Amino acid sequence: MDHISLSFEELESVEQVNRVTTALMTLDGVESAEVGRHGAEVEGNVRRETLIAAVEKLGIKAN
């Protein structure tokens, strides 16, 4: 299992945090995702690029 840290532009609301958490947790291979206002810590067998794409699909720039 891999540990991947993501950073992204500041989330402005709890709703955005929840949307990012849901987007990450629904990806195949993600075991856990802890999302805060400035980033996320993800555990699982998933590619970093897949995580970034899921966040950016919500209109949030990630790296």
Side-chain angles (χ1 to χ4, degrees), residues 4 6 27 46-56:
I4 302 169
L6 296 178
L27 295 173
V46 62
R47 294 178 52 218
R48 180 179 185 78
E49 294 79 16
T50 303
L51 299 172
I52 290 171
V55 173
E56 290 187 344

Side-chain angles (χ1 to χ4, degrees), residues 3-4 8 11 14 36 40 44 58 61-63:
H3 176 87
I4 302 169
F8 38 77
L11 302 180
V14 172
L58 299 173
K61 181 72 175 159
N63 57 34

Side-chain angles (χ1 to χ4, degrees), residues 26-38:
T26 59
L27 295 173
D28 287 338
V30 172
E31 296 293 326
S32 69
E34 293 185 30
V35 179
R37 293 178 60 98
H38 299 283

